[in-house]
Amino acid sequence: MITEIYINGDSYSANNIEEVAYSNFIADQIDIPVTNYAVVGCCNDRIFRTTLEYCANLKQNQRPLIIVGFSFITREEIWIDDISKYSQRIKDYPGSQFVTHQWSQTVDEATMHAVIDQNINKQTTHFYVKLFMFIQTLKSLDLPYHIFSAADNTDFINLNWNALKNLQIFQKISQDPNIRDLHKFNIGKWAEDNYLETTKTKHLYEDGHKMFADYLLKNVINDLVCKR
């Protein structure tokens, strides 16, 4: 029995002043609550963290459908108390350095790109590790889910695809019918395939949000809600 629709993501899914998000159109067409936790500008670590926290607080009679539109895999967060005291070095690791604009001016171009490319591999691999554990948690709680990439994660030219595809966690995630291919599907591409106008950053306008809501209702939500 599905008791609620839970949505999380970044600006592609968030409610904002300019546009009504697809979650609102979903809420208009079903008779169970729709909760939207998406936040503009957030990264995937925040999406993982807040969704798991939500799940940890569920009561026995609650069984939401979890819908997550992930952000850019390379987007990260940093926690600081006072930006004026921000240090470029990573605490407790005096030989390490954050890859900042200032740092990039101190090394040659080849070194800079080597570090950035390696970081892409690290970020992507760690993302799939977290996603695998995230999915196992949802399964252990018997919570249905639909996961896709809202942001564009298609242009990973320098990613070591062979190493990634050899990971069992990547193979299992790729075979999961409830997860859209995170490197082929995104909201901007979906809008383009459906001849929808978007903003310069590939965000949907209101008509696009309505159409994406219809897409989710038809392909994901209706069958599960009807079975409740």
Side-chain angles (χ1 to χ4, degrees):
M1 176 177 176
I2 304 300
T3 59
E4 183 180 357
I5 307 294
Y6 172 93
I7 294 171
N8 207 341
D10 61 1
S11 58
Y12 292 95
S13 302
N15 290 311
N16 58 64
I17 297 172
E18 289 82 17
E19 304 291 343
V20 176
Y22 60 83
S23 57
N24 299 93
F25 292 108
I26 292 172
D28 289 341
Q29 297 189 54
I30 59 174
D31 60 354
I32 58 175
V34 177
T35 302
N36 189 340
Y37 275 70
V39 171
V40 174
C42 82
C43 68
N44 292 327
D45 279 347
R46 181 233 160 235
I47 296 171
F48 282 128
R49 182 175 61 249
T50 54
T51 304
L52 289 171
E53 180 68 12
Y54 166 83
C55 292
N57 281 289
L58 289 174
K59 295 182 171 54
Q60 191 171 5
N61 62 343
Q62 291 180 283
R63 187 170 183 258
L65 165 60
I66 306 294
I67 297 178
V68 174
F70 279 111
S71 185
F72 301 98
I73 290 175
T74 53
R75 177 183 283 178
E76 294 185 348
E77 63 185 355
I78 182 168
W79 296 10
I80 52 176
D81 294 327
D82 184 351
I83 196 167
S84 65
K85 298 177 182 178
Y86 174 68
S87 170
Q88 297 228 3
R89 294 197 180 279
I90 302 172
K91 187 179 180 182
D92 300 327
Y93 294 89
S96 59
Q97 198 96 27
F98 284 123
V99 180
T100 62
H101 176 71
Q102 183 177 347
W103 170 86
S104 70
Q105 307 303 307
T106 67
V107 297
D108 60 88
E109 189 173 354
T111 300
M112 181 181 69
H113 284 293
V115 172
I116 292 173
D117 290 350
Q118 183 61 38
N119 206 45
I120 288 172
N121 285 288
K122 183 211 75 170
Q123 290 170 316
T124 306
T125 302
H126 284 193
F127 170 77
Y128 276 100
V129 170
K130 294 171 190 174
L131 179 56
F132 182 80
M133 294 188 290
F134 178 71
I135 295 304
Q136 297 312 305
T137 301
L138 296 182
K139 288 180 177 178
S140 71
L141 296 171
D142 190 31
L143 297 179
Y145 57 89
H146 180 74
I147 289 170
F148 62 96
S149 179
D152 186 351
N153 286 300
T154 60
D155 187 18
F156 280 30
I157 297 172
N158 297 311
L159 183 67
N160 187 336
W161 284 104
N162 288 333
L164 185 65
K165 290 177 179 179
N166 280 331
L167 294 175
Q168 282 294 315
I169 56 173
F170 179 84
Q171 294 175 26
K172 290 183 181 298
I173 287 169
S174 299
Q175 295 165 5
D176 191 326
N178 299 309
I179 303 176
R180 295 296 304 263
D181 189 317
L182 301 171
H183 301 287
K184 291 183 179 178
F185 180 92
N186 60 73
I187 282 184
K189 185 177 184 305
W190 175 86
E192 182 180 331
D193 292 343
N194 287 277
Y195 307 102
L196 288 167
E197 184 180 357
T198 63
T199 68
K200 290 181 179 179
T201 52
K202 303 297 183 182
H203 287 74
L204 299 173
Y205 290 114
E206 189 167 315
D207 61 335
H209 278 285
K210 184 178 186 307
M211 194 167 173
F212 193 68
D214 292 340
Y215 161 80
L216 289 174
L217 285 161
K218 179 181 178 181
N219 295 284
V220 180
I221 298 171
N222 284 342
D223 285 345
L224 288 168
V225 172
C226 287
K227 292 176 181 176
R228 67 192 181 94

PDB file of all heavy atoms in Angstrom, residues 1 9 13 25 31 42 59 61 68 89 97 99 110 128 131-132 148 160 165 175 177 183-184 189-190 198 204 211 218:
ATOM      1  N   MET A   1       0.844  -1.198   0.000  1.00  0.00           N
ATOM      2  CA  MET A   1       0.000   0.000   0.000  1.00  0.00           C
ATOM      3  C   MET A   1       0.885   1.256   0.000  1.00  0.00           C
ATOM      4  O   MET A   1       1.669   1.475   0.926  1.00  0.00           O
ATOM      5  CB  MET A   1      -0.909   0.021   1.225  1.00  0.00           C
ATOM      6  CG  MET A   1      -1.755   1.273   1.342  1.00  0.00           C
ATOM      7  SD  MET A   1      -2.852   1.196   2.754  1.00  0.00           S
ATOM      8  CE  MET A   1      -3.580   2.821   2.681  1.00  0.00           C
ATOM      9  N   GLY A   9      15.611  15.900  -4.921  1.00  0.00           N
ATOM     10  CA  GLY A   9      16.455  16.259  -6.057  1.00  0.00           C
ATOM     11  C   GLY A   9      17.009  17.657  -5.890  1.00  0.00           C
ATOM     12  O   GLY A   9      17.062  18.200  -4.788  1.00  0.00           O
ATOM     13  N   SER A  13      13.938  19.571  -9.893  1.00  0.00           N
ATOM     14  CA  SER A  13      12.745  19.001  -9.257  1.00  0.00           C
ATOM     15  C   SER A  13      12.118  19.917  -8.215  1.00  0.00           C
ATOM     16  O   SER A  13      10.987  19.684  -7.795  1.00  0.00           O
ATOM     17  CB  SER A  13      13.114  17.673  -8.568  1.00  0.00           C
ATOM     18  OG  SER A  13      13.657  16.751  -9.480  1.00  0.00           O
ATOM     19  N   PHE A  25       1.879  18.970 -10.020  1.00  0.00           N
ATOM     20  CA  PHE A  25       0.951  18.385 -10.986  1.00  0.00           C
ATOM     21  C   PHE A  25       0.620  16.930 -10.630  1.00  0.00           C
ATOM     22  O   PHE A  25      -0.486  16.475 -10.860  1.00  0.00           O
ATOM     23  CB  PHE A  25       1.545  18.468 -12.391  1.00  0.00           C
ATOM     24  CG  PHE A  25       1.640  19.875 -12.918  1.00  0.00           C
ATOM     25  CD1 PHE A  25       2.863  20.513 -13.038  1.00  0.00           C
ATOM     26  CD2 PHE A  25       0.493  20.573 -13.282  1.00  0.00           C
ATOM     27  CE1 PHE A  25       2.954  21.810 -13.515  1.00  0.00           C
ATOM     28  CE2 PHE A  25       0.562  21.871 -13.769  1.00  0.00           C
ATOM     29  CZ  PHE A  25       1.794  22.495 -13.879  1.00  0.00           C
ATOM     30  N   ASP A  31      -4.728  10.903  -4.965  1.00  0.00           N
ATOM     31  CA  ASP A  31      -5.392  11.209  -3.701  1.00  0.00           C
ATOM     32  C   ASP A  31      -4.556  10.841  -2.485  1.00  0.00           C
ATOM     33  O   ASP A  31      -5.093  10.581  -1.399  1.00  0.00           O
ATOM     34  CB  ASP A  31      -6.755  10.510  -3.632  1.00  0.00           C
ATOM     35  CG  ASP A  31      -6.626   8.991  -3.724  1.00  0.00           C
ATOM     36  OD1 ASP A  31      -5.500   8.496  -3.946  1.00  0.00           O
ATOM     37  OD2 ASP A  31      -7.651   8.301  -3.559  1.00  0.00           O
ATOM     38  N   CYS A  42      21.523  21.902  -4.646  1.00  0.00           N
ATOM     39  CA  CYS A  42      22.076  20.876  -3.762  1.00  0.00           C
ATOM     40  C   CYS A  42      22.835  19.810  -4.550  1.00  0.00           C
ATOM     41  O   CYS A  42      22.725  19.701  -5.765  1.00  0.00           O
ATOM     42  CB  CYS A  42      20.975  20.239  -2.925  1.00  0.00           C
ATOM     43  SG  CYS A  42      20.058  18.942  -3.771  1.00  0.00           S
ATOM     44  N   LYS A  59       6.998   5.771  10.106  1.00  0.00           N
ATOM     45  CA  LYS A  59       6.262   4.951  11.070  1.00  0.00           C
ATOM     46  C   LYS A  59       5.828   3.648  10.393  1.00  0.00           C
ATOM     47  O   LYS A  59       5.887   3.511   9.176  1.00  0.00           O
ATOM     48  CB  LYS A  59       5.061   5.725  11.603  1.00  0.00           C
ATOM     49  CG  LYS A  59       5.464   6.957  12.413  1.00  0.00           C
ATOM     50  CD  LYS A  59       4.262   7.675  12.955  1.00  0.00           C
ATOM     51  CE  LYS A  59       4.683   8.776  13.938  1.00  0.00           C
ATOM     52  NZ  LYS A  59       5.655   9.709  13.368  1.00  0.00           N
ATOM     53  N   ASN A  61       3.089   2.254   9.630  1.00  0.00           N
ATOM     54  CA  ASN A  61       2.009   2.249   8.632  1.00  0.00           C
ATOM     55  C   ASN A  61       2.319   3.111   7.408  1.00  0.00           C
ATOM     56  O   ASN A  61       1.479   3.289   6.534  1.00  0.00           O
ATOM     57  CB  ASN A  61       0.694   2.713   9.273  1.00  0.00           C
ATOM     58  CG  ASN A  61       0.789   4.145   9.796  1.00  0.00           C
ATOM     59  OD1 ASN A  61       1.876   4.685   9.965  1.00  0.00           O
ATOM     60  ND2 ASN A  61      -0.365   4.749  10.057  1.00  0.00           N
ATOM     61  N   VAL A  68      13.591   9.881  -6.913  1.00  0.00           N
ATOM     62  CA  VAL A  68      14.775  10.721  -6.774  1.00  0.00           C
ATOM     63  C   VAL A  68      15.317  11.087  -8.146  1.00  0.00           C
ATOM     64  O   VAL A  68      15.571  10.216  -8.978  1.00  0.00           O
ATOM     65  CB  VAL A  68      15.879  10.011  -5.958  1.00  0.00           C
ATOM     66  CG1 VAL A  68      17.158  10.850  -5.956  1.00  0.00           C
ATOM     67  CG2 VAL A  68      15.409   9.768  -4.529  1.00  0.00           C
ATOM     68  N   ARG A  89      43.774  24.057   2.527  1.00  0.00           N
ATOM     69  CA  ARG A  89      44.246  22.716   2.822  1.00  0.00           C
ATOM     70  C   ARG A  89      43.164  21.913   3.537  1.00  0.00           C
ATOM     71  O   ARG A  89      42.361  22.444   4.288  1.00  0.00           O
ATOM     72  CB  ARG A  89      45.514  22.768   3.675  1.00  0.00           C
ATOM     73  CG  ARG A  89      46.690  23.381   2.932  1.00  0.00           C
ATOM     74  CD  ARG A  89      48.000  23.052   3.635  1.00  0.00           C
ATOM     75  NE  ARG A  89      49.128  23.639   2.918  1.00  0.00           N
ATOM     76  CZ  ARG A  89      49.682  23.106   1.842  1.00  0.00           C
ATOM     77  NH1 ARG A  89      49.229  21.976   1.342  1.00  0.00           N
ATOM     78  NH2 ARG A  89      50.690  23.702   1.252  1.00  0.00           N
ATOM     79  N   GLN A  97      45.445  19.110  -1.025  1.00  0.00           N
ATOM     80  CA  GLN A  97      44.986  20.440  -1.452  1.00  0.00           C
ATOM     81  C   GLN A  97      43.612  20.330  -2.106  1.00  0.00           C
ATOM     82  O   GLN A  97      43.319  19.365  -2.809  1.00  0.00           O
ATOM     83  CB  GLN A  97      45.960  21.018  -2.481  1.00  0.00           C
ATOM     84  CG  GLN A  97      45.828  22.509  -2.667  1.00  0.00           C
ATOM     85  CD  GLN A  97      46.831  23.259  -1.816  1.00  0.00           C
ATOM     86  OE1 GLN A  97      47.877  22.745  -1.488  1.00  0.00           O
ATOM     87  NE2 GLN A  97      46.523  24.481  -1.450  1.00  0.00           N
ATOM     88  N   VAL A  99      41.044  21.319  -4.978  1.00  0.00           N
ATOM     89  CA  VAL A  99      41.230  21.748  -6.363  1.00  0.00           C
ATOM     90  C   VAL A  99      40.413  23.031  -6.563  1.00  0.00           C
ATOM     91  O   VAL A  99      39.247  23.001  -6.910  1.00  0.00           O
ATOM     92  CB  VAL A  99      40.787  20.648  -7.347  1.00  0.00           C
ATOM     93  CG1 VAL A  99      40.991  21.107  -8.792  1.00  0.00           C
ATOM     94  CG2 VAL A  99      41.575  19.374  -7.098  1.00  0.00           C
ATOM     95  N   ALA A 110      48.851  20.284 -17.740  1.00  0.00           N
ATOM     96  CA  ALA A 110      48.769  18.822 -17.778  1.00  0.00           C
ATOM     97  C   ALA A 110      48.482  18.251 -16.393  1.00  0.00           C
ATOM     98  O   ALA A 110      47.656  17.340 -16.234  1.00  0.00           O
ATOM     99  CB  ALA A 110      50.066  18.236 -18.336  1.00  0.00           C
ATOM    100  N   TYR A 128      28.374   5.680  -7.173  1.00  0.00           N
ATOM    101  CA  TYR A 128      27.742   4.383  -7.383  1.00  0.00           C
ATOM    102  C   TYR A 128      27.809   3.507  -6.127  1.00  0.00           C
ATOM    103  O   TYR A 128      26.896   2.717  -5.869  1.00  0.00           O
ATOM    104  CB  TYR A 128      28.360   3.670  -8.586  1.00  0.00           C
ATOM    105  CG  TYR A 128      27.726   4.114  -9.882  1.00  0.00           C
ATOM    106  CD1 TYR A 128      28.344   5.055 -10.697  1.00  0.00           C
ATOM    107  CD2 TYR A 128      26.478   3.630 -10.276  1.00  0.00           C
ATOM    108  CE1 TYR A 128      27.748   5.492 -11.868  1.00  0.00           C
ATOM    109  CE2 TYR A 128      25.873   4.059 -11.444  1.00  0.00           C
ATOM    110  CZ  TYR A 128      26.512   4.991 -12.238  1.00  0.00           C
ATOM    111  OH  TYR A 128      25.907   5.441 -13.394  1.00  0.00           O
ATOM    112  N   LEU A 131      25.012   4.892  -4.077  1.00  0.00           N
ATOM    113  CA  LEU A 131      23.734   4.538  -4.675  1.00  0.00           C
ATOM    114  C   LEU A 131      23.396   3.078  -4.405  1.00  0.00           C
ATOM    115  O   LEU A 131      22.248   2.735  -4.098  1.00  0.00           O
ATOM    116  CB  LEU A 131      23.756   4.812  -6.177  1.00  0.00           C
ATOM    117  CG  LEU A 131      22.480   4.475  -6.958  1.00  0.00           C
ATOM    118  CD1 LEU A 131      21.277   5.205  -6.375  1.00  0.00           C
ATOM    119  CD2 LEU A 131      22.647   4.818  -8.437  1.00  0.00           C
ATOM    120  N   PHE A 132      24.392   2.206  -4.506  1.00  0.00           N
ATOM    121  CA  PHE A 132      24.162   0.789  -4.240  1.00  0.00           C
ATOM    122  C   PHE A 132      23.682   0.585  -2.799  1.00  0.00           C
ATOM    123  O   PHE A 132      22.702  -0.134  -2.551  1.00  0.00           O
ATOM    124  CB  PHE A 132      25.446  -0.001  -4.489  1.00  0.00           C
ATOM    125  CG  PHE A 132      25.297  -1.482  -4.281  1.00  0.00           C
ATOM    126  CD1 PHE A 132      24.727  -2.283  -5.262  1.00  0.00           C
ATOM    127  CD2 PHE A 132      25.734  -2.071  -3.106  1.00  0.00           C
ATOM    128  CE1 PHE A 132      24.587  -3.644  -5.069  1.00  0.00           C
ATOM    129  CE2 PHE A 132      25.595  -3.436  -2.910  1.00  0.00           C
ATOM    130  CZ  PHE A 132      25.025  -4.225  -3.893  1.00  0.00           C
ATOM    131  N   PHE A 148      16.344   8.457 -11.310  1.00  0.00           N
ATOM    132  CA  PHE A 148      16.840   8.929 -12.599  1.00  0.00           C
ATOM    133  C   PHE A 148      17.808  10.073 -12.351  1.00  0.00           C
ATOM    134  O   PHE A 148      17.945  10.571 -11.231  1.00  0.00           O
ATOM    135  CB  PHE A 148      15.686   9.393 -13.495  1.00  0.00           C
ATOM    136  CG  PHE A 148      14.898  10.552 -12.929  1.00  0.00           C
ATOM    137  CD1 PHE A 148      15.170  11.852 -13.311  1.00  0.00           C
ATOM    138  CD2 PHE A 148      13.855  10.330 -12.023  1.00  0.00           C
ATOM    139  CE1 PHE A 148      14.439  12.931 -12.791  1.00  0.00           C
ATOM    140  CE2 PHE A 148      13.130  11.390 -11.488  1.00  0.00           C
ATOM    141  CZ  PHE A 148      13.413  12.688 -11.885  1.00  0.00           C
ATOM    142  N   ASN A 160      36.965   6.567 -16.683  1.00  0.00           N
ATOM    143  CA  ASN A 160      37.468   5.233 -17.003  1.00  0.00           C
ATOM    144  C   ASN A 160      36.282   4.268 -16.987  1.00  0.00           C
ATOM    145  O   ASN A 160      35.989   3.610 -15.986  1.00  0.00           O
ATOM    146  CB  ASN A 160      38.535   4.801 -15.990  1.00  0.00           C
ATOM    147  CG  ASN A 160      39.214   3.503 -16.380  1.00  0.00           C
ATOM    148  OD1 ASN A 160      38.651   2.679 -17.114  1.00  0.00           O
ATOM    149  ND2 ASN A 160      40.413   3.295 -15.886  1.00  0.00           N
ATOM    150  N   LYS A 165      32.558  -0.184 -15.286  1.00  0.00           N
ATOM    151  CA  LYS A 165      31.674  -1.265 -15.727  1.00  0.00           C
ATOM    152  C   LYS A 165      32.087  -2.623 -15.183  1.00  0.00           C
ATOM    153  O   LYS A 165      31.279  -3.565 -15.185  1.00  0.00           O
ATOM    154  CB  LYS A 165      31.623  -1.293 -17.255  1.00  0.00           C
ATOM    155  CG  LYS A 165      30.884  -0.098 -17.844  1.00  0.00           C
ATOM    156  CD  LYS A 165      30.897  -0.106 -19.375  1.00  0.00           C
ATOM    157  CE  LYS A 165      30.136   1.084 -19.928  1.00  0.00           C
ATOM    158  NZ  LYS A 165      30.154   1.121 -21.416  1.00  0.00           N
ATOM    159  N   GLN A 175      21.229  -3.051 -14.133  1.00  0.00           N
ATOM    160  CA  GLN A 175      20.201  -4.039 -14.418  1.00  0.00           C
ATOM    161  C   GLN A 175      18.901  -3.781 -13.671  1.00  0.00           C
ATOM    162  O   GLN A 175      17.907  -4.472 -13.894  1.00  0.00           O
ATOM    163  CB  GLN A 175      20.735  -5.432 -14.051  1.00  0.00           C
ATOM    164  CG  GLN A 175      21.904  -5.889 -14.911  1.00  0.00           C
ATOM    165  CD  GLN A 175      22.656  -7.070 -14.322  1.00  0.00           C
ATOM    166  OE1 GLN A 175      22.261  -7.635 -13.299  1.00  0.00           O
ATOM    167  NE2 GLN A 175      23.751  -7.450 -14.965  1.00  0.00           N
ATOM    168  N   PRO A 177      15.500  -2.331 -13.053  1.00  0.00           N
ATOM    169  CA  PRO A 177      14.482  -1.690 -13.899  1.00  0.00           C
ATOM    170  C   PRO A 177      13.900  -0.414 -13.309  1.00  0.00           C
ATOM    171  O   PRO A 177      13.238   0.354 -14.019  1.00  0.00           O
ATOM    172  CB  PRO A 177      13.401  -2.776 -14.017  1.00  0.00           C
ATOM    173  CG  PRO A 177      13.567  -3.603 -12.783  1.00  0.00           C
ATOM    174  CD  PRO A 177      15.040  -3.611 -12.498  1.00  0.00           C
ATOM    175  N   HIS A 183      23.497   7.931 -17.268  1.00  0.00           N
ATOM    176  CA  HIS A 183      24.383   8.618 -18.206  1.00  0.00           C
ATOM    177  C   HIS A 183      23.751   8.780 -19.595  1.00  0.00           C
ATOM    178  O   HIS A 183      24.424   9.203 -20.526  1.00  0.00           O
ATOM    179  CB  HIS A 183      25.708   7.878 -18.303  1.00  0.00           C
ATOM    180  CG  HIS A 183      26.415   7.773 -16.989  1.00  0.00           C
ATOM    181  ND1 HIS A 183      27.026   8.851 -16.391  1.00  0.00           N
ATOM    182  CD2 HIS A 183      26.573   6.729 -16.138  1.00  0.00           C
ATOM    183  CE1 HIS A 183      27.546   8.476 -15.228  1.00  0.00           C
ATOM    184  NE2 HIS A 183      27.289   7.196 -15.060  1.00  0.00           N
ATOM    185  N   LYS A 184      22.484   8.428 -19.701  1.00  0.00           N
ATOM    186  CA  LYS A 184      21.777   8.619 -20.962  1.00  0.00           C
ATOM    187  C   LYS A 184      20.512   9.451 -20.785  1.00  0.00           C
ATOM    188  O   LYS A 184      20.145  10.233 -21.658  1.00  0.00           O
ATOM    189  CB  LYS A 184      21.421   7.260 -21.581  1.00  0.00           C
ATOM    190  CG  LYS A 184      22.621   6.475 -22.080  1.00  0.00           C
ATOM    191  CD  LYS A 184      22.203   5.175 -22.753  1.00  0.00           C
ATOM    192  CE  LYS A 184      23.416   4.407 -23.271  1.00  0.00           C
ATOM    193  NZ  LYS A 184      23.030   3.120 -23.887  1.00  0.00           N
ATOM    194  N   LYS A 189      17.527  16.286 -21.713  1.00  0.00           N
ATOM    195  CA  LYS A 189      17.439  15.430 -22.893  1.00  0.00           C
ATOM    196  C   LYS A 189      16.005  14.957 -23.107  1.00  0.00           C
ATOM    197  O   LYS A 189      15.524  14.876 -24.237  1.00  0.00           O
ATOM    198  CB  LYS A 189      18.371  14.226 -22.751  1.00  0.00           C
ATOM    199  CG  LYS A 189      18.433  13.352 -24.002  1.00  0.00           C
ATOM    200  CD  LYS A 189      19.420  12.224 -23.836  1.00  0.00           C
ATOM    201  CE  LYS A 189      19.532  11.419 -25.137  1.00  0.00           C
ATOM    202  NZ  LYS A 189      18.234  10.914 -25.627  1.00  0.00           N
ATOM    203  N   TRP A 190      15.325  14.623 -22.017  1.00  0.00           N
ATOM    204  CA  TRP A 190      13.917  14.213 -22.119  1.00  0.00           C
ATOM    205  C   TRP A 190      13.085  15.337 -22.736  1.00  0.00           C
ATOM    206  O   TRP A 190      12.233  15.082 -23.596  1.00  0.00           O
ATOM    207  CB  TRP A 190      13.385  13.845 -20.732  1.00  0.00           C
ATOM    208  CG  TRP A 190      11.931  13.517 -20.715  1.00  0.00           C
ATOM    209  CD1 TRP A 190      11.331  12.312 -20.973  1.00  0.00           C
ATOM    210  CD2 TRP A 190      10.861  14.436 -20.455  1.00  0.00           C
ATOM    211  NE1 TRP A 190       9.970  12.422 -20.884  1.00  0.00           N
ATOM    212  CE2 TRP A 190       9.646  13.714 -20.569  1.00  0.00           C
ATOM    213  CE3 TRP A 190      10.805  15.786 -20.136  1.00  0.00           C
ATOM    214  CZ2 TRP A 190       8.405  14.306 -20.367  1.00  0.00           C
ATOM    215  CZ3 TRP A 190       9.568  16.388 -19.937  1.00  0.00           C
ATOM    216  CH2 TRP A 190       8.385  15.644 -20.054  1.00  0.00           C
ATOM    217  N   THR A 198      13.130  24.769 -23.057  1.00  0.00           N
ATOM    218  CA  THR A 198      13.673  24.833 -21.703  1.00  0.00           C
ATOM    219  C   THR A 198      14.463  26.119 -21.515  1.00  0.00           C
ATOM    220  O   THR A 198      14.682  26.873 -22.463  1.00  0.00           O
ATOM    221  CB  THR A 198      14.609  23.634 -21.420  1.00  0.00           C
ATOM    222  OG1 THR A 198      15.734  23.699 -22.318  1.00  0.00           O
ATOM    223  CG2 THR A 198      13.892  22.305 -21.582  1.00  0.00           C
ATOM    224  N   LEU A 204      12.992  22.879 -16.906  1.00  0.00           N
ATOM    225  CA  LEU A 204      11.666  22.872 -17.519  1.00  0.00           C
ATOM    226  C   LEU A 204      10.887  24.130 -17.183  1.00  0.00           C
ATOM    227  O   LEU A 204      11.010  24.679 -16.087  1.00  0.00           O
ATOM    228  CB  LEU A 204      10.867  21.656 -17.026  1.00  0.00           C
ATOM    229  CG  LEU A 204      11.438  20.268 -17.328  1.00  0.00           C
ATOM    230  CD1 LEU A 204      10.604  19.198 -16.628  1.00  0.00           C
ATOM    231  CD2 LEU A 204      11.492  20.021 -18.836  1.00  0.00           C
ATOM    232  N   MET A 211       4.082  18.002 -18.219  1.00  0.00           N
ATOM    233  CA  MET A 211       4.286  16.847 -19.081  1.00  0.00           C
ATOM    234  C   MET A 211       5.158  15.784 -18.391  1.00  0.00           C
ATOM    235  O   MET A 211       4.925  14.583 -18.547  1.00  0.00           O
ATOM    236  CB  MET A 211       4.931  17.294 -20.393  1.00  0.00           C
ATOM    237  CG  MET A 211       4.884  16.261 -21.494  1.00  0.00           C
ATOM    238  SD  MET A 211       5.332  17.017 -23.085  1.00  0.00           S
ATOM    239  CE  MET A 211       5.411  15.551 -24.116  1.00  0.00           C
ATOM    240  N   LYS A 218       2.163   7.997 -15.662  1.00  0.00           N
ATOM    241  CA  LYS A 218       1.888   6.911 -16.600  1.00  0.00           C
ATOM    242  C   LYS A 218       2.867   5.756 -16.448  1.00  0.00           C
ATOM    243  O   LYS A 218       2.466   4.584 -16.468  1.00  0.00           O
ATOM    244  CB  LYS A 218       1.944   7.439 -18.034  1.00  0.00           C
ATOM    245  CG  LYS A 218       1.693   6.375 -19.097  1.00  0.00           C
ATOM    246  CD  LYS A 218       1.779   6.973 -20.499  1.00  0.00           C
ATOM    247  CE  LYS A 218       1.588   5.895 -21.565  1.00  0.00           C
ATOM    248  NZ  LYS A 218       1.695   6.473 -22.942  1.00  0.00           N
TER     249      LYS A 218
END
